Amino acid sequence: IMASTPIELVFNTQHVFSKASQFKLLEVPDDVLQEITQNIDTVSVRGRPNDEAVLCTATHTYSLKLAETSNSMLLLPISIDSLSTTSSTVEIVASLTSHYEITETAPRIRSLFDMLSELPYGDDASSSSEDKGQARKQVYTFAMIASIVQASEEEIRKALSRFQALKVGAYWRVISAHAQQQTCNLILATLVERDWDFRCVPTKACVDELSTNCDPLIVRHCLNVILGKDDEDSTAYYDDPDFQQSVSELSPEKIATLRALQLLGLGEGKGRDHWRVGEFTQAWRDSLPDAVDAHFGPNLSPDILKGVAITIPNTSTSTAPLSSSSSSSSSSTSTPQDKSAWTLRPLSVTNLPPHPKDRFQALFMEKPRWSLAEFEPYLQEMVEPGMSLEQLVLKYCRGITVAGGRV
């Protein structure tokens, strides 16, 4: 406002304070402001009644924090730039003493997995593309997911891919464990029977071959996602489930992981949940197609099972409390060199608590000492923007140095 342009501000106490509750001030960085002004439809505040609200843009998620100030902020009905060209008297609309600040945060996508798991696709009662009756109440379109899950649309799409979700009609689903393992087993058996190279599987021929016993939609999804190599074709498949490709390249790591999970008693419920690493590795190798076994050669190792299984040295217990990792009196012990005698057991990240403190407690109940590399698949989703994995770990536990390195 120019000094030579006097403006009279009219302050109606009753009017100003009665209208204060109608306004919320939000302080945002320039990039968020630009998105709000240019494409407001991509910006929203999300959360259920009992959730801590977050602000979501098209690509990022932000936590909201109310900041109080001792100085009142007066809202005017017109912009500062137009004051000099309008009436010399302006009535104050409202007076506020607080505003919201935003801080970029990790997407809160745990609820997405729970939603997708409500009614897995492939069960006899729900294998139709058009779900009816009460089943429809338990499946979700992308718009329904975006209205509930506290994450941006881009982060939700990445999570759908990570959870290997399948789009059935308008709804997003995960394949039931029974249907997924049955289909994958038949695909691998067909590879051996037809002598197909796992790096170059004829997609249509495979779908046609299994169409009598399997849902073609599930067969294509297993070829592209469950067993398929992560590449441009798998990305195109997620962008358009009707995407067609002449051949499917399967991932040897995904094939090996499937067989490992079956040996560990997951999926169909068969197998054992505890193995000696050496015994497991031999049984694991025997379960693989020859071409996949040859691909790994001597390098087949439980290390590829990060996020689904853990190895436990014989010198540690599987029920040690959290304090056992953080106690300053912990003694250094030599790490066993013969890992074949270690114990292997399943541990999926989707079965862990969603909050950091509870997750650390659960992890240390599995074993008392973890390396940073072992922590990574179980904690990466909790690392906030601007924070490293090591900083998150040091916030909740203490590191010690043993003969095998720092844990």
Side-chain angles (χ1 to χ4, degrees), residues 161 164 188 222 224-230 234 250-261 296 304:
S161 176
Q164 299 182 326
L188 296 180
C222 288
N224 285 284
V225 177
I226 307 298
L227 297 176
K229 184 177 180 181
D230 296 324
S234 62
L250 305 189
S251 164
E253 288 77 17
K254 288 184 178 181
I255 294 173
T257 299
L258 171 76
R259 290 303 195 211
L261 293 178
F296 287 106
I304 71 172

Side-chain angles (χ1 to χ4, degrees), residues 178-191 210 227 258-259 262 268:
H178 172 78
Q180 177 176 308
Q181 294 216 21
Q182 179 188 50
T183 304
C184 288
N185 286 339
L186 288 173
I187 288 174
L188 296 180
T190 302
L191 258 63
L210 301 180
L227 297 176
L258 171 76
R259 290 303 195 211
Q262 291 172 342
E268 296 279 18

